[in-house]
Amino acid sequence: MLTQVDGILGRRGMSSPIDWSMPGAARYRAALLVAEHRGQEIVRNPHLSEDWTEFAVRSPHLLAAVQAVLGPDIAVENTFLVVKWPGRSFEIPWHQDGTGAYLELHPERSVSAWLAVTEATVANGCLEVAPGSQSAGYLPVEKEAATGAERGRADQAHGFTPETTIPVPLRAGCAVLMDSRLVHRSGTNTSSGARVGLNVRYTAPDGIIRRDPTSPSVVPIRGTGW
């Protein structure tokens, strides 16, 4: 039986890999996205406008994993498409998906997913996580130092120094599910091709404690509790 400290995804705070697409279909979509978003690093909330993302957030295996921990009523709170271009510095600092300057999600009523559209490798900037870090709860948030990055100054976990970290490489078409408090980061793409990933925040009806006023309304995708 899981303890409250461990959280809904257990001691490591994560579950991986979870299929969301056939690998070939994911790679084909990645090629289209690379051509469409040439030079752009972040596309905010593509689930509101792009058919492929609407499919991705509803993919059966992924949704089954989300419903197994949150119950039958599921909505998407936010999505980010992230493209890491080769030869361009792009590091994302240590952070937690369920908290920010204007946001807090209930850690037992929300979960985040990271979907690999291309292969995600250590060389091209796959996720790096601190297993078990969710047990410390939500950490204070601050803006990272100005880097001149197109994405602006990202939220980061203030003063976080991990004891143990592991990379999370994923095949195209696979996803990792994470506790909303799990601390993670990603590095710069040092490979020769673009790395494309989709971040999704899922929530149950009572999962939002504090709302980011800049985010769109949640989009219910399963259940009747909305």
Side-chain angles (χ1 to χ4, degrees):
M1 182 175 179
L2 301 181
T3 68
Q4 188 173 8
V5 171
D6 284 341
I8 57 177
L9 289 173
R11 187 165 298 172
R12 297 176 73 220
M14 57 183 287
S15 176
S16 175
I18 300 166
D19 291 336
W20 68 269
S21 171
M22 295 294 289
R27 294 181 191 114
Y28 175 75
R29 177 55 55 184
L32 296 179
L33 292 169
V34 167
E36 178 183 358
H37 298 294
R38 176 61 60 185
Q40 190 173 0
E41 292 180 341
I42 294 179
V43 179
R44 301 180 188 278
N45 293 301
H47 69 288
L48 299 179
S49 59
E50 299 189 20
D51 290 345
W52 80 270
T53 314
E54 292 183 26
F55 162 79
V57 301
R58 291 170 170 83
S59 57
H61 287 108
L62 180 58
L63 267 190
V66 174
Q67 289 180 301
V69 293
L70 297 186
D73 302 324
I74 302 295
V76 172
E77 189 274 330
N78 202 291
T79 59
F80 289 88
L81 178 71
V82 179
V83 183
K84 291 196 172 190
W85 300 98
R88 181 185 297 182
S89 178
F90 186 176
E91 292 194 5
I92 296 177
W94 291 109
H95 68 284
Q96 298 166 302
D97 284 343
T99 189
Y102 305 106
L103 171 78
E104 186 172 335
L105 300 180
H106 194 303
E108 294 182 0
R109 304 298 291 153
S110 66
V111 71
S112 67
W114 194 90
L115 284 61
V117 189
T118 59
E119 266 69 22
T121 67
V122 172
N124 71 14
C126 70
L127 292 187
E128 181 182 358
V129 307
S133 56
Q134 79 282 356
S135 64
Y138 284 131
L139 305 173
V141 175
E142 66 179 5
K143 290 293 184 184
E144 67 175 347
T147 63
E150 174 190 320
R151 60 178 166 75
R153 296 172 64 193
D155 288 339
Q156 64 180 356
H158 174 68
F160 178 73
T161 303
E163 294 182 3
T164 303
T165 70
I166 58 171
V168 186
L170 291 171
R171 186 198 68 205
C174 286
V176 55
L177 206 60
M178 296 184 290
D179 189 297
S180 296
R181 302 164 298 174
L182 185 70
V183 187
H184 59 285
R185 68 174 294 278
S186 63
T188 289
N189 179 2
T190 61
S191 75
S192 59
R195 191 223 71 178
V196 185
L198 179 70
N199 181 265
V200 187
R201 294 198 297 245
Y202 290 101
T203 180
D206 54 351
I208 299 175
I209 298 172
R210 189 160 49 97
R211 180 100 177 110
D212 185 340
T214 67
S215 292
S217 298
V218 296
V219 177
I221 56 175
R222 283 292 186 276
T224 59
W226 301 95

Short mmCIF file of all heavy atoms in Angstrom, two decimals, residues 24-86:
data_model
loop_
_atom_site.label_atom_id
_atom_site.label_comp_id
_atom_site.label_asym_id
_atom_site.label_seq_id
_atom_site.Cartn_x
_atom_site.Cartn_y
_atom_site.Cartn_z
N GLY A 24 6.66 4.58 -35.43
CA GLY A 24 6.74 5.18 -36.75
C GLY A 24 5.81 6.36 -36.91
O GLY A 24 6.16 7.37 -37.54
N ALA A 25 4.60 6.27 -36.33
CA ALA A 25 3.65 7.37 -36.41
C ALA A 25 4.16 8.59 -35.64
O ALA A 25 4.00 9.73 -36.08
CB ALA A 25 2.29 6.93 -35.88
N ALA A 26 4.78 8.35 -34.48
CA ALA A 26 5.33 9.46 -33.70
C ALA A 26 6.46 10.14 -34.46
O ALA A 26 6.54 11.39 -34.52
CB ALA A 26 5.82 8.95 -32.35
N ARG A 27 7.34 9.35 -35.07
CA ARG A 27 8.46 9.94 -35.81
C ARG A 27 7.97 10.73 -37.02
O ARG A 27 8.52 11.79 -37.36
CB ARG A 27 9.43 8.84 -36.25
CG ARG A 27 10.13 8.15 -35.09
CD ARG A 27 11.11 7.09 -35.57
NE ARG A 27 11.58 6.26 -34.47
CZ ARG A 27 11.32 4.97 -34.33
NH1 ARG A 27 10.58 4.33 -35.24
NH2 ARG A 27 11.78 4.30 -33.31
N TYR A 28 6.94 10.22 -37.69
CA TYR A 28 6.36 10.94 -38.83
C TYR A 28 5.79 12.28 -38.37
O TYR A 28 6.00 13.31 -39.01
CB TYR A 28 5.26 10.10 -39.48
CG TYR A 28 4.51 10.82 -40.58
CD1 TYR A 28 5.10 11.01 -41.83
CD2 TYR A 28 3.23 11.29 -40.37
CE1 TYR A 28 4.42 11.68 -42.84
CE2 TYR A 28 2.54 11.96 -41.37
CZ TYR A 28 3.13 12.14 -42.61
OH TYR A 28 2.46 12.81 -43.59
N ARG A 29 5.07 12.27 -37.25
CA ARG A 29 4.53 13.53 -36.71
C ARG A 29 5.65 14.47 -36.33
O ARG A 29 5.56 15.68 -36.57
CB ARG A 29 3.66 13.21 -35.50
CG ARG A 29 3.10 14.44 -34.79
CD ARG A 29 2.32 15.35 -35.72
NE ARG A 29 1.25 14.62 -36.40
CZ ARG A 29 0.47 15.17 -37.34
NH1 ARG A 29 0.66 16.43 -37.70
NH2 ARG A 29 -0.47 14.43 -37.92
N ALA A 30 6.72 13.95 -35.75
CA ALA A 30 7.85 14.80 -35.36
C ALA A 30 8.44 15.51 -36.58
O ALA A 30 8.77 16.70 -36.52
CB ALA A 30 8.92 13.97 -34.66
N ALA A 31 8.56 14.80 -37.70
CA ALA A 31 9.11 15.43 -38.91
C ALA A 31 8.22 16.57 -39.37
O ALA A 31 8.72 17.64 -39.79
CB ALA A 31 9.24 14.38 -40.01
N LEU A 32 6.91 16.40 -39.29
CA LEU A 32 5.99 17.47 -39.67
C LEU A 32 6.11 18.66 -38.73
O LEU A 32 6.10 19.82 -39.15
CB LEU A 32 4.55 16.95 -39.67
CG LEU A 32 4.20 15.86 -40.69
CD1 LEU A 32 2.74 15.44 -40.53
CD2 LEU A 32 4.46 16.33 -42.11
N LEU A 33 6.24 18.38 -37.43
CA LEU A 33 6.35 19.45 -36.45
C LEU A 33 7.65 20.23 -36.61
O LEU A 33 7.67 21.46 -36.47
CB LEU A 33 6.26 18.87 -35.04
CG LEU A 33 4.91 18.29 -34.65
CD1 LEU A 33 5.02 17.50 -33.34
CD2 LEU A 33 3.86 19.38 -34.52
N VAL A 34 8.72 19.52 -36.88
CA VAL A 34 10.01 20.19 -37.09
C VAL A 34 9.94 21.14 -38.28
O VAL A 34 10.46 22.26 -38.24
CB VAL A 34 11.13 19.15 -37.27
CG1 VAL A 34 12.40 19.78 -37.81
CG2 VAL A 34 11.42 18.44 -35.95
N ALA A 35 9.26 20.72 -39.35
CA ALA A 35 9.11 21.58 -40.52
C ALA A 35 8.18 22.75 -40.23
O ALA A 35 8.43 23.89 -40.67
CB ALA A 35 8.57 20.76 -41.70
N GLU A 36 7.12 22.49 -39.46
CA GLU A 36 6.12 23.54 -39.20
C GLU A 36 6.62 24.59 -38.23
O GLU A 36 6.33 25.79 -38.39
CB GLU A 36 4.85 22.90 -38.63
CG GLU A 36 3.76 23.88 -38.28
CD GLU A 36 2.54 23.21 -37.65
OE1 GLU A 36 2.56 21.96 -37.52
OE2 GLU A 36 1.60 23.94 -37.28
N HIS A 37 7.37 24.18 -37.23
CA HIS A 37 7.78 25.09 -36.16
C HIS A 37 9.27 25.41 -36.24
O HIS A 37 9.92 25.56 -35.21
CB HIS A 37 7.44 24.48 -34.80
CG HIS A 37 5.98 24.24 -34.60
ND1 HIS A 37 5.06 25.25 -34.52
CD2 HIS A 37 5.27 23.07 -34.50
CE1 HIS A 37 3.84 24.74 -34.35
NE2 HIS A 37 3.95 23.42 -34.34
N ARG A 38 9.79 25.52 -37.42
CA ARG A 38 11.22 25.77 -37.63
C ARG A 38 11.73 26.91 -36.76
O ARG A 38 11.24 28.04 -36.85
CB ARG A 38 11.48 26.07 -39.09
CG ARG A 38 12.90 26.43 -39.44
CD ARG A 38 13.88 25.30 -39.12
NE ARG A 38 13.58 24.07 -39.85
CZ ARG A 38 14.25 22.93 -39.65
NH1 ARG A 38 15.21 22.88 -38.73
NH2 ARG A 38 13.93 21.85 -40.34
N GLY A 39 12.66 26.61 -35.86
CA GLY A 39 13.27 27.61 -34.99
C GLY A 39 12.49 27.90 -33.73
O GLY A 39 13.03 28.50 -32.80
N GLN A 40 11.23 27.49 -33.63
CA GLN A 40 10.41 27.77 -32.46
C GLN A 40 10.66 26.70 -31.40
O GLN A 40 10.71 25.51 -31.69
CB GLN A 40 8.93 27.78 -32.85
CG GLN A 40 7.99 28.29 -31.78
CD GLN A 40 6.56 28.44 -32.28
OE1 GLN A 40 6.26 28.14 -33.44
NE2 GLN A 40 5.67 28.89 -31.41
N GLU A 41 10.82 27.13 -30.15
CA GLU A 41 11.16 26.19 -29.09
C GLU A 41 9.95 25.68 -28.31
O GLU A 41 9.93 24.53 -27.90
CB GLU A 41 12.14 26.86 -28.11
CG GLU A 41 13.51 27.12 -28.71
CD GLU A 41 14.46 27.78 -27.74
OE1 GLU A 41 14.00 28.36 -26.74
OE2 GLU A 41 15.68 27.71 -27.99
N ILE A 42 8.96 26.53 -28.08
CA ILE A 42 7.81 26.15 -27.27
C ILE A 42 6.52 26.55 -27.96
O ILE A 42 6.38 27.68 -28.42
CB ILE A 42 7.88 26.79 -25.86
CG1 ILE A 42 9.06 26.21 -25.07
CG2 ILE A 42 6.57 26.55 -25.10
CD1 ILE A 42 9.21 26.79 -23.68
N VAL A 43 5.59 25.60 -28.03
CA VAL A 43 4.23 25.87 -28.50
C VAL A 43 3.30 25.58 -27.33
O VAL A 43 3.26 24.46 -26.82
CB VAL A 43 3.86 24.98 -29.71
CG1 VAL A 43 2.43 25.27 -30.17
CG2 VAL A 43 4.85 25.18 -30.85
N ARG A 44 2.56 26.59 -26.90
CA ARG A 44 1.74 26.46 -25.70
C ARG A 44 0.34 25.94 -26.03
O ARG A 44 -0.31 26.43 -26.94
CB ARG A 44 1.65 27.80 -24.97
CG ARG A 44 3.02 28.33 -24.56
CD ARG A 44 2.95 29.66 -23.83
NE ARG A 44 4.28 30.20 -23.63
CZ ARG A 44 5.09 29.85 -22.64
NH1 ARG A 44 4.68 28.96 -21.75
NH2 ARG A 44 6.29 30.37 -22.53
N ASN A 45 -0.10 24.96 -25.28
CA ASN A 45 -1.44 24.40 -25.36
C ASN A 45 -1.86 23.95 -26.76
O ASN A 45 -2.94 24.31 -27.24
CB ASN A 45 -2.45 25.39 -24.79
CG ASN A 45 -2.26 25.60 -23.30
OD1 ASN A 45 -2.34 24.65 -22.51
ND2 ASN A 45 -1.97 26.83 -22.91
N PRO A 46 -1.04 23.13 -27.42
CA PRO A 46 -1.43 22.66 -28.75
C PRO A 46 -2.65 21.75 -28.74
O PRO A 46 -3.27 21.54 -29.79
CB PRO A 46 -0.18 21.93 -29.24
CG PRO A 46 0.53 21.49 -27.99
CD PRO A 46 0.29 22.62 -27.03
N HIS A 47 -3.03 21.21 -27.56
CA HIS A 47 -4.22 20.36 -27.50
C HIS A 47 -5.50 21.13 -27.83
O HIS A 47 -6.53 20.52 -28.11
CB HIS A 47 -4.35 19.72 -26.11
CG HIS A 47 -4.68 20.68 -25.01
ND1 HIS A 47 -3.76 21.60 -24.52
CD2 HIS A 47 -5.82 20.89 -24.29
CE1 HIS A 47 -4.32 22.31 -23.55
NE2 HIS A 47 -5.57 21.90 -23.39
N LEU A 48 -5.42 22.46 -27.83
CA LEU A 48 -6.59 23.27 -28.15
C LEU A 48 -6.74 23.51 -29.65
O LEU A 48 -7.81 23.93 -30.11
CB LEU A 48 -6.51 24.63 -27.45
CG LEU A 48 -6.47 24.60 -25.92
CD1 LEU A 48 -6.36 26.01 -25.37
CD2 LEU A 48 -7.70 23.88 -25.36
N SER A 49 -5.68 23.24 -30.42
CA SER A 49 -5.74 23.62 -31.84
C SER A 49 -5.19 22.58 -32.81
O SER A 49 -5.42 22.69 -34.01
CB SER A 49 -4.95 24.93 -32.05
OG SER A 49 -3.60 24.77 -31.64
N GLU A 50 -4.47 21.58 -32.33
CA GLU A 50 -3.83 20.62 -33.22
C GLU A 50 -4.42 19.22 -33.01
O GLU A 50 -4.39 18.69 -31.90
CB GLU A 50 -2.31 20.60 -33.00
CG GLU A 50 -1.67 21.97 -33.28
CD GLU A 50 -0.16 21.92 -33.28
OE1 GLU A 50 0.39 20.81 -33.44
OE2 GLU A 50 0.47 22.97 -33.10
N ASP A 51 -4.94 18.64 -34.09
CA ASP A 51 -5.63 17.34 -34.00
C ASP A 51 -4.74 16.25 -33.42
O ASP A 51 -5.19 15.41 -32.64
CB ASP A 51 -6.13 16.92 -35.39
CG ASP A 51 -7.29 17.78 -35.87
OD1 ASP A 51 -7.88 18.50 -35.04
OD2 ASP A 51 -7.59 17.73 -37.08
N TRP A 52 -3.45 16.23 -33.81
CA TRP A 52 -2.59 15.15 -33.36
C TRP A 52 -2.42 15.20 -31.84
O TRP A 52 -2.35 14.14 -31.19
CB TRP A 52 -1.22 15.22 -34.04
CG TRP A 52 -0.28 16.22 -33.46
CD1 TRP A 52 -0.14 17.52 -33.82
CD2 TRP A 52 0.64 16.01 -32.36
NE1 TRP A 52 0.80 18.14 -33.04
CE2 TRP A 52 1.29 17.23 -32.14
CE3 TRP A 52 0.96 14.91 -31.58
CZ2 TRP A 52 2.25 17.39 -31.15
CZ3 TRP A 52 1.92 15.06 -30.58
CH2 TRP A 52 2.57 16.30 -30.38
N THR A 53 -2.40 16.42 -31.27
CA THR A 53 -2.25 16.55 -29.82
C THR A 53 -3.53 16.12 -29.11
O THR A 53 -3.48 15.51 -28.04
CB THR A 53 -1.89 17.99 -29.43
OG1 THR A 53 -0.86 18.47 -30.29
CG2 THR A 53 -1.41 18.07 -28.00
N GLU A 54 -4.68 16.43 -29.70
CA GLU A 54 -5.94 15.96 -29.13
C GLU A 54 -5.95 14.44 -29.05
O GLU A 54 -6.44 13.86 -28.08
CB GLU A 54 -7.11 16.46 -29.98
CG GLU A 54 -7.33 17.97 -29.90
CD GLU A 54 -8.55 18.40 -30.70
OE1 GLU A 54 -9.46 17.57 -30.87
OE2 GLU A 54 -8.58 19.55 -31.16
N PHE A 55 -5.42 13.78 -30.08
CA PHE A 55 -5.31 12.32 -30.06
C PHE A 55 -4.31 11.88 -28.99
O PHE A 55 -4.57 10.94 -28.23
CB PHE A 55 -4.87 11.79 -31.42
CG PHE A 55 -4.33 10.39 -31.37
CD1 PHE A 55 -5.19 9.30 -31.30
CD2 PHE A 55 -2.96 10.15 -31.34
CE1 PHE A 55 -4.69 8.00 -31.20
CE2 PHE A 55 -2.45 8.86 -31.26
CZ PHE A 55 -3.33 7.78 -31.19
N ALA A 56 -3.16 12.53 -28.94
CA ALA A 56 -2.09 12.11 -28.02
C ALA A 56 -2.56 12.13 -26.57
O ALA A 56 -2.30 11.18 -25.81
CB ALA A 56 -0.87 12.99 -28.21
N VAL A 57 -3.24 13.20 -26.15
CA VAL A 57 -3.64 13.30 -24.74
C VAL A 57 -4.76 12.31 -24.41
O VAL A 57 -5.02 12.05 -23.22
CB VAL A 57 -4.06 14.73 -24.37
CG1 VAL A 57 -2.92 15.71 -24.60
CG2 VAL A 57 -5.33 15.17 -25.10
N ARG A 58 -5.40 11.74 -25.43
CA ARG A 58 -6.47 10.76 -25.23
C ARG A 58 -6.03 9.34 -25.58
O ARG A 58 -6.87 8.43 -25.63
CB ARG A 58 -7.68 11.13 -26.09
CG ARG A 58 -8.40 12.39 -25.64
CD ARG A 58 -9.44 12.82 -26.67
NE ARG A 58 -10.30 13.88 -26.18
CZ ARG A 58 -9.99 15.17 -26.19
NH1 ARG A 58 -8.82 15.55 -26.68
NH2 ARG A 58 -10.83 16.06 -25.70
N SER A 59 -4.77 9.12 -25.83
CA SER A 59 -4.31 7.80 -26.25
C SER A 59 -4.66 6.75 -25.18
O SER A 59 -4.47 6.99 -23.98
CB SER A 59 -2.81 7.81 -26.53
OG SER A 59 -2.09 8.23 -25.40
N PRO A 60 -5.18 5.60 -25.59
CA PRO A 60 -5.76 4.65 -24.63
C PRO A 60 -4.83 4.18 -23.52
O PRO A 60 -5.22 4.14 -22.35
CB PRO A 60 -6.22 3.49 -25.53
CG PRO A 60 -6.46 4.12 -26.86
CD PRO A 60 -5.43 5.20 -26.99
N HIS A 61 -3.60 3.78 -23.86
CA HIS A 61 -2.70 3.27 -22.82
C HIS A 61 -2.33 4.37 -21.82
O HIS A 61 -2.26 4.11 -20.60
CB HIS A 61 -1.43 2.70 -23.46
CG HIS A 61 -1.64 1.41 -24.16
ND1 HIS A 61 -1.61 1.29 -25.52
CD2 HIS A 61 -1.89 0.15 -23.68
CE1 HIS A 61 -1.83 0.04 -25.87
NE2 HIS A 61 -2.01 -0.67 -24.78
N LEU A 62 -2.11 5.57 -22.33
CA LEU A 62 -1.74 6.67 -21.44
C LEU A 62 -2.90 7.03 -20.54
O LEU A 62 -2.74 7.21 -19.32
CB LEU A 62 -1.30 7.87 -22.28
CG LEU A 62 -0.87 9.13 -21.51
CD1 LEU A 62 0.27 8.82 -20.56
CD2 LEU A 62 -0.47 10.24 -22.48
N LEU A 63 -4.11 7.15 -21.11
CA LEU A 63 -5.27 7.50 -20.30
C LEU A 63 -5.57 6.42 -19.26
O LEU A 63 -5.98 6.73 -18.14
CB LEU A 63 -6.49 7.73 -21.18
CG LEU A 63 -6.75 9.16 -21.62
CD1 LEU A 63 -8.11 9.26 -22.28
CD2 LEU A 63 -6.66 10.13 -20.46
N ALA A 64 -5.37 5.16 -19.63
CA ALA A 64 -5.60 4.08 -18.66
C ALA A 64 -4.67 4.23 -17.47
O ALA A 64 -5.08 4.03 -16.31
CB ALA A 64 -5.39 2.73 -19.34
N ALA A 65 -3.42 4.61 -17.72
CA ALA A 65 -2.45 4.80 -16.63
C ALA A 65 -2.85 5.99 -15.76
O ALA A 65 -2.71 5.95 -14.53
CB ALA A 65 -1.05 4.99 -17.20
N VAL A 66 -3.34 7.06 -16.40
CA VAL A 66 -3.76 8.25 -15.65
C VAL A 66 -4.99 7.92 -14.81
O VAL A 66 -5.07 8.26 -13.62
CB VAL A 66 -4.05 9.42 -16.61
CG1 VAL A 66 -4.64 10.60 -15.85
CG2 VAL A 66 -2.77 9.85 -17.32
N GLN A 67 -5.98 7.24 -15.40
CA GLN A 67 -7.20 6.91 -14.67
C GLN A 67 -6.94 5.92 -13.54
O GLN A 67 -7.64 5.94 -12.53
CB GLN A 67 -8.25 6.36 -15.63
CG GLN A 67 -8.82 7.43 -16.56
CD GLN A 67 -9.86 6.86 -17.50
OE1 GLN A 67 -9.57 5.95 -18.27
NE2 GLN A 67 -11.06 7.41 -17.45
N ALA A 68 -5.92 5.11 -13.68
CA ALA A 68 -5.59 4.15 -12.62
C ALA A 68 -5.20 4.84 -11.33
O ALA A 68 -5.39 4.30 -10.23
CB ALA A 68 -4.47 3.22 -13.09
N VAL A 69 -4.66 6.06 -11.43
CA VAL A 69 -4.24 6.78 -10.22
C VAL A 69 -5.16 7.94 -9.85
O VAL A 69 -5.21 8.34 -8.69
CB VAL A 69 -2.78 7.28 -10.34
CG1 VAL A 69 -1.82 6.11 -10.36
CG2 VAL A 69 -2.57 8.16 -11.56
N LEU A 70 -5.91 8.49 -10.83
CA LEU A 70 -6.76 9.65 -10.54
C LEU A 70 -8.24 9.33 -10.53
O LEU A 70 -9.04 10.14 -10.08
CB LEU A 70 -6.50 10.77 -11.56
CG LEU A 70 -5.11 11.39 -11.59
CD1 LEU A 70 -5.09 12.57 -12.56
CD2 LEU A 70 -4.66 11.82 -10.21
N GLY A 71 -8.63 8.19 -11.07
CA GLY A 71 -10.04 7.87 -11.17
C GLY A 71 -10.58 8.15 -12.56
O GLY A 71 -9.84 8.55 -13.46
N PRO A 72 -11.89 7.99 -12.76
CA PRO A 72 -12.46 8.03 -14.11
C PRO A 72 -12.58 9.41 -14.73
O PRO A 72 -12.66 9.53 -15.95
CB PRO A 72 -13.84 7.40 -13.92
CG PRO A 72 -14.19 7.70 -12.48
CD PRO A 72 -12.89 7.60 -11.74
N ASP A 73 -12.63 10.45 -13.90
CA ASP A 73 -12.87 11.80 -14.42
C ASP A 73 -11.54 12.52 -14.61
O ASP A 73 -10.86 12.86 -13.64
CB ASP A 73 -13.76 12.60 -13.46
CG ASP A 73 -15.09 11.91 -13.22
OD1 ASP A 73 -15.61 11.31 -14.17
OD2 ASP A 73 -15.59 11.99 -12.08
N ILE A 74 -11.20 12.79 -15.89
CA ILE A 74 -9.88 13.31 -16.22
C ILE A 74 -10.02 14.51 -17.15
O ILE A 74 -10.82 14.51 -18.09
CB ILE A 74 -9.01 12.25 -16.94
CG1 ILE A 74 -8.87 10.99 -16.07
CG2 ILE A 74 -7.65 12.82 -17.30
CD1 ILE A 74 -8.11 11.21 -14.80
N ALA A 75 -9.23 15.55 -16.89
CA ALA A 75 -9.16 16.70 -17.79
C ALA A 75 -7.70 17.06 -18.03
O ALA A 75 -6.82 16.73 -17.23
CB ALA A 75 -9.90 17.91 -17.22
N VAL A 76 -7.46 17.76 -19.13
CA VAL A 76 -6.13 18.32 -19.41
C VAL A 76 -6.12 19.76 -18.90
O VAL A 76 -6.96 20.57 -19.29
CB VAL A 76 -5.82 18.28 -20.91
CG1 VAL A 76 -4.54 19.06 -21.21
CG2 VAL A 76 -5.67 16.84 -21.38
N GLU A 77 -5.17 20.05 -18.03
CA GLU A 77 -5.04 21.42 -17.51
C GLU A 77 -4.15 22.28 -18.40
O GLU A 77 -4.38 23.48 -18.53
CB GLU A 77 -4.48 21.36 -16.07
CG GLU A 77 -4.49 22.68 -15.32
CD GLU A 77 -3.25 23.53 -15.58
OE1 GLU A 77 -2.18 22.95 -15.84
OE2 GLU A 77 -3.36 24.77 -15.52
N ASN A 78 -3.14 21.66 -19.02
CA ASN A 78 -2.18 22.45 -19.79
C ASN A 78 -1.33 21.50 -20.62
O ASN A 78 -1.11 20.35 -20.23
CB ASN A 78 -1.29 23.26 -18.84
CG ASN A 78 -0.66 24.46 -19.51
OD1 ASN A 78 0.20 24.30 -20.36
ND2 ASN A 78 -1.06 25.65 -19.12
N THR A 79 -0.86 21.96 -21.78
CA THR A 79 0.13 21.22 -22.56
C THR A 79 1.20 22.17 -23.08
O THR A 79 0.94 23.36 -23.30
CB THR A 79 -0.49 20.47 -23.76
OG1 THR A 79 -1.13 21.41 -24.63
CG2 THR A 79 -1.50 19.43 -23.31
N PHE A 80 2.40 21.63 -23.29
CA PHE A 80 3.50 22.36 -23.91
C PHE A 80 4.18 21.43 -24.91
O PHE A 80 4.57 20.32 -24.54
CB PHE A 80 4.56 22.78 -22.88
CG PHE A 80 4.15 23.87 -21.94
CD1 PHE A 80 3.51 23.57 -20.76
CD2 PHE A 80 4.41 25.20 -22.24
CE1 PHE A 80 3.14 24.56 -19.87
CE2 PHE A 80 4.05 26.20 -21.37
CZ PHE A 80 3.41 25.89 -20.17
N LEU A 81 4.30 21.87 -26.13
CA LEU A 81 5.16 21.19 -27.09
C LEU A 81 6.53 21.85 -27.01
O LEU A 81 6.63 23.08 -27.11
CB LEU A 81 4.60 21.32 -28.51
CG LEU A 81 5.46 20.68 -29.61
CD1 LEU A 81 5.39 19.17 -29.52
CD2 LEU A 81 4.99 21.15 -30.99
N VAL A 82 7.57 21.06 -26.80
CA VAL A 82 8.93 21.59 -26.65
C VAL A 82 9.83 20.98 -27.71
O VAL A 82 9.90 19.76 -27.85
CB VAL A 82 9.49 21.29 -25.24
CG1 VAL A 82 10.90 21.84 -25.12
CG2 VAL A 82 8.59 21.89 -24.16
N VAL A 83 10.49 21.85 -28.46
CA VAL A 83 11.45 21.41 -29.48
C VAL A 83 12.84 21.89 -29.06
O VAL A 83 13.07 23.09 -28.89
CB VAL A 83 11.11 21.97 -30.88
CG1 VAL A 83 12.09 21.42 -31.92
CG2 VAL A 83 9.67 21.63 -31.26
N LYS A 84 13.75 20.95 -28.90
CA LYS A 84 15.15 21.30 -28.62
C LYS A 84 15.92 21.14 -29.92
O LYS A 84 16.09 20.02 -30.43
CB LYS A 84 15.72 20.41 -27.51
CG LYS A 84 15.12 20.69 -26.15
CD LYS A 84 15.95 20.09 -25.04
CE LYS A 84 15.43 20.54 -23.69
NZ LYS A 84 16.34 20.18 -22.59
N TRP A 85 16.40 22.27 -30.44
CA TRP A 85 17.09 22.27 -31.72
C TRP A 85 18.57 21.96 -31.52
O TRP A 85 19.18 22.40 -30.54
CB TRP A 85 16.92 23.62 -32.41
CG TRP A 85 15.49 23.95 -32.68
CD1 TRP A 85 14.67 24.74 -31.92
CD2 TRP A 85 14.69 23.48 -33.77
NE1 TRP A 85 13.42 24.80 -32.46
CE2 TRP A 85 13.41 24.03 -33.60
CE3 TRP A 85 14.94 22.65 -34.85
CZ2 TRP A 85 12.36 23.77 -34.49
CZ3 TRP A 85 13.91 22.39 -35.74
CH2 TRP A 85 12.64 22.95 -35.56
N PRO A 86 19.17 21.22 -32.42
CA PRO A 86 20.61 20.93 -32.31
C PRO A 86 21.43 22.21 -32.42
O PRO A 86 21.08 23.12 -33.18
CB PRO A 86 20.89 19.99 -33.48
CG PRO A 86 19.79 20.27 -34.46
CD PRO A 86 18.59 20.63 -33.64
#
